[in-house]
Structures are given as C-alpha cells and as structure tokens.
Amino acid sequence: MTLIDHIVLVLNLLAVLVIGLWAGRGVTKLEHFSVAKREFGSWIIFATLSASFIGGGFTMGNAEKVFTIGVVNIFALWGFSLKEILVATVITPRMRHFPEAISVGGVMGRAFGRPGQMVTGVFGVMLCAGILGAQVGAMGYVFHLFLGMDNLVGILIGCGIAIAYSTVGGMRSVVLTDILQFVVLGVGIPLTLIMGLDLAGGWRAVADAVPARNLTLLGGIGPLAFISLFLTFLLGETLVPPYVQRLMIGRTAGHVFRGTLWSGLFSVPFFAISGGIGLVALALAPNLDPNLAMPYVVQQALPVGLRGLVVAGIIAVVMSSADSFLNGAAVCLISDVVLPVWPRPLNERAQLSLAKAANLLTGVLAVLFAVSIKSVLGILLYAYNFWAPVILPPLVAAFFGAKASSAVFLIAATVGLAATVFWNVGLGAPAGVDGLIVGVGCNAVVFLLGTMLFRRIR
C-alpha cells in the first residue's frame, strides 16, 4: 500500500472513532447503554443489522471458505439469510410483549425466573466473546497483509478502537458508527468483486481457472454435511444477545420488522459477492493462504487511494461486528449475571460503570479466542456451540409466551450442551453433522416434554 492508501485508512479509522465518541454523549444509564433510547427507524435498523451481523466471518471468512471448498459455502450461508427473514416475520411482532426488557436475559427471566436469566447471561457472554474473537482475528489478518504488522498488534489496534467508543456510548455509538460502516460495506465489497473479475479476465476466465468442484452445488462435502452447515448458520446466531438488542431499539414494531426483513434480503446477494471474491483469489493465486483471499484481491485489483478506502471498509465492517458483541457481552454480564445477585440495589451510574468495565473483559476473552483458533469462520462455528444448544429452544418458546419452572429450563439446557459435546467430541461428528444440530434438537425435545409435565402437575 502507498502513502495515500495509508492516509485514507487512518482517516477512516479516526472518523469511526470520533463519530463513536461523539454519539456517546448523554448515555447516563444502563438502558441507554443497552438499547439507546428506542429511537431508531427502519433504515437505521437495516443498516446496523447488516453492518453488525454481516461482519468479518461472513466477508473474509466466506471468501476463505469459498476459496477452500467452493460455492457450497455461499448456499450454506443463506441459512443465515433465512434466519433473518424468519425472525422478522415470526419474532418481531412479539417484541411488544417485552417493552421494558433491555437484554435477552430479561426475556428469559420473565419466562423461567432468575436461573433462566443468569444462565442466559453466562452463555451470552461466552458466545459474544467467541464471535468477537472472529472479528478481531479478521482484523489481525488485514493489518498484517496491508500494513505489515504482526497479527496480534493488528488485533489490539482494531479491538482497542472498538472498545473505546463502545465503552463511552454503548448502543448509540455502535449504531451510528454502523451507519458509516454499512455505506462502505455496500459499496466497497461489490467494487472489489467487479475489479477483481476484470483483473482475472472476467467470469469465464475465473470459472476455467478454479477446480470444477469449487463450482458445484455441494463442493464434495456430502448432502448431510451441507444440511448440517446450513442449519448451523440458520440456528447458530439466532437471537443472540446483540441481535435481540437490535429488536428493542426501534420506535415501533413495524420499524423493527422492516429493518430486519431488509437486512435478511440484502444478505442473500452480499454472500454471493463476498464468496465470489474467494473464487477470484483462487483463480489469481491458487497457493495463497485462504484466510487472505479477500485482502489479496483488494491489494491486487484496486488502484491507489481506492485500495486504501476499501481496506478501511473491510476493517470497518469487521469492527462493526466487534463493537456489537462487545456491547452485547457487557449488557449480558451486568444486567443478567451481576445485578440479579448483587447484595444491594445499585444506582444507574454504578450500573453503567460496571457495564463499561465489562467491555474490557470481553475484549481480553476475544483476543484469547482469536489467537487460539486460526480460521475466522471456524471461530464462529465454535462459538455457536455456546448458544443455540443451550438457550435457543426455550428462548423461542419464551417469545411465544411459554413459561416453565427454572428446573425445566436448566435440565433442557444441560441436555442440549451435553448432547453437543458428546456428538462432536465423543463421537467425532458422524457423517459431518455438527453437534449443534443434535444439541438443539435434544434441548427442544426435553424442554417440550418438561413443559407439558410442568403444566400437568400444576
């Protein structure tokens, strides 16, 4: 990268930091930190959802996997798109039943008591740390390739900026920086594919250069493995803490519905575009480290100045997910774990101070994830095991008005987690089916049976 590219990159990072710090004015209590002032309309919800959840794992990680196994990864990621659409149509109309909730644990506490809230908070923190690890890990790769920095140094810089403004302003800072980051996301990534295709000689040249299996429906992974991967993306990030917070920030349920639906529809072509960049990288440099597929195309295909802007955009896209999961972890930890067992009531200022301090803890956990697991998308898949098999079935039931004893919830959660671990570790994930799917199914069955028994006893 040239001096101009470096200047563009630094200016963009400074702009994100300044906007985030400026937006944090007026945040005086935990509710502001978690859901702002429930003041946002459809377009802003669409932008913040798209920027936050179509982040490093689904841009650089998608390019990496398409480089490795082919377009089958794009089709699998459409499970995430389907999830967005289902949440918009099925869940958002039910958010009106939880007008005072500021976290996913608040929803669970109402349905299953304090144990339900606290267990949700604990596993929410673990999930957020893992997914944040995927984002800061992706930042490390970008800083390493374009600036020659050590991966860990890049991770610390990117994560440090996100920590700074998300700590000061909470959800409001996160949302307003997401708007800038979404604009770059929507322009920079498609532009990279267009210019990458031009460099490679067009789509036909790319199709001729890559292995035939990379263009097939299943890419050689097998039908069961594909279904498992699709369902993993469908279920793994469903109703995670930062996502549920986004469902609480709209002015009305209609605004939340439209913003969520638009984000799901937007993700369909976006996944095809980011995956297409992986194919371009494979055609241009088949021996490349797959994790660097997208940065390589940016470096080779884009001219001076524009290259710096798109690199800044890639970092911004990753950062937009990082700040969301920082905020989500802090809210889960304080609202759903600490405050329910705190020996005396805390005033609003003390609650906010604790939430801000929790951002730092989450950042440390994220760095540990990022440096211990090398594949960006692999971190995502690993982190999913801390959420869906334990929390998802009872959480969906809670949105539909179900209530049960804490014991029913805890037994179902334990069975779901145990089934996931046994399937993945004890059995080695037979037939390529991820234990997350098995765990979710076991949790759902046990929870359903326990709820029916609970009602009969009562």
Side-chain angles (χ1 to χ4, degrees):
M1 288 179 60
T2 67
L3 178 60
I4 294 176
D5 292 320
H6 284 84
I7 292 174
V8 171
L9 175 59
V10 170
L11 289 177
N12 187 82
L13 291 175
L14 286 175
V16 170
L17 179 60
V18 169
I19 290 173
L21 295 176
W22 173 82
R25 299 174 304 160
V27 175
T28 58
K29 56 184 179 178
L30 182 59
E31 182 179 4
H32 294 165
F33 191 86
S34 175
V35 295
K37 298 179 181 179
R38 307 181 198 266
E39 59 186 347
F40 300 113
S42 302
W43 285 105
I44 292 180
I45 293 172
F46 162 56
T48 186
L49 277 174
S50 298
S52 295
F53 294 95
I54 307 173
F58 294 161
T59 50
M60 291 182 61
N62 187 26
E64 169 209 338
K65 288 300 183 183
V66 172
F67 185 104
T68 304
I69 66 173
V71 296
V72 60
N73 199 72
I74 298 172
F75 304 142
L77 276 177
W78 284 342
F80 179 91
S81 305
L82 177 60
K83 178 268 295 184
E84 293 269 285
I85 295 168
L86 289 175
V87 169
T89 55
V90 177
I91 300 298
T92 58
R94 291 167 172 79
M95 291 304 300
R96 67 181 183 275
H97 299 307
F98 305 93
E100 303 301 323
I102 65 170
S103 69
V104 64
V107 175
M108 294 290 277
R110 180 171 164 180
F112 310 116
R114 182 179 294 181
Q117 180 178 9
M118 295 185 64
V119 170
T120 300
V122 169
F123 280 89
V125 171
M126 296 170 69
L127 172 83
C128 289
I131 296 180
L132 175 59
Q135 313 312 320
V136 298
M139 277 190 269
Y141 286 117
V142 175
F143 276 97
H144 172 70
L145 180 64
F146 291 103
L147 302 178
M149 291 183 179
D150 180 77
N151 279 16
L152 181 58
V153 174
I155 286 172
L156 294 176
I157 291 175
C159 196
I161 293 174
I163 288 173
Y165 66 75
S166 65
T167 296
V168 169
M171 181 58 71
R172 193 164 190 271
S173 292
V174 169
V175 169
L176 293 186
T177 54
D178 280 350
I179 296 172
L180 171 63
Q181 291 156 343
F182 174 72
V183 172
V184 180
L185 167 81
V187 174
I189 303 302
L191 186 61
T192 300
L193 176 61
I194 292 170
M195 301 193 74
L197 285 171
D198 182 68
L199 177 65
W203 167 247
R204 177 48 55 192
V206 171
D208 291 340
V210 303
R213 72 175 182 84
N214 283 63
L215 300 176
T216 60
L217 176 62
L218 295 179
I221 68 171
L224 280 179
F226 169 75
I227 293 172
S228 172
L229 193 59
F230 183 90
L231 291 176
T232 297
F233 286 121
L234 174 70
L235 299 172
E237 237 176 278
T238 299
L239 299 175
V240 296
Y243 194 103
V244 174
Q245 287 173 245
R246 295 304 195 288
L247 303 183
M248 298 173 176
I249 66 174
R251 290 197 293 267
T252 67
H255 286 110
V256 177
F257 164 75
R258 288 187 294 272
T260 306
L261 180 63
W262 295 343
S263 180
L265 296 174
F266 170 80
S267 70
V268 174
F270 180 83
F271 290 151
I273 291 170
S274 61
I277 295 172
L279 290 177
V280 171
L282 181 60
L284 293 173
N287 296 320
L288 183 71
D289 178 356
N291 283 295
L292 301 179
M294 180 173 289
Y296 177 83
V297 175
V298 171
Q299 185 181 46
Q300 298 297 318
L302 299 179
V304 173
L306 187 58
R307 183 189 308 149
L309 180 63
V310 174
V311 172
I314 293 174
I315 294 174
V317 165
V318 178
M319 199 175 296
S320 66
S321 291
D323 58 24
S324 295
F325 284 96
L326 271 170
N327 180 264
V331 172
C332 281
L333 183 61
I334 303 307
S335 178
D336 300 329
V337 179
V338 174
L339 293 182
V341 296
W342 200 264
R344 63 183 185 279
L346 292 177
N347 60 38
E348 292 178 344
R349 181 176 299 231
Q351 293 178 20
L352 179 61
S353 297
L354 284 174
K356 290 181 176 183
N359 269 11
L360 177 60
L361 174 61
T362 308
V364 172
L365 292 175
V367 170
L368 293 177
F369 268 94
V371 299
S372 62
I373 302 176
K374 300 303 180 184
S375 170
V376 172
L377 209 58
I379 299 175
L380 282 179
L381 298 177
Y382 184 77
Y384 287 167
N385 292 317
F386 291 125
W387 185 255
V390 180
I391 303 298
L392 184 57
L395 177 57
V396 172
F399 278 114
F400 279 86
K403 292 188 178 182
S405 68
S406 299
V408 170
F409 165 77
L410 292 173
I411 292 171
T414 302
V415 169
L417 180 60
T420 301
V421 173
F422 177 73
W423 186 269
N424 281 342
V425 179
L427 299 180
V433 176
D434 194 278
L436 179 147
I437 311 301
V438 178
V440 170
C442 291
N443 183 317
V445 170
V446 172
F447 178 79
L448 178 61
L449 293 176
T451 302
M452 292 172 61
L453 179 62
F454 172 73
R455 288 177 178 174
R456 184 172 299 178
I457 293 175
R458 291 183 64 188

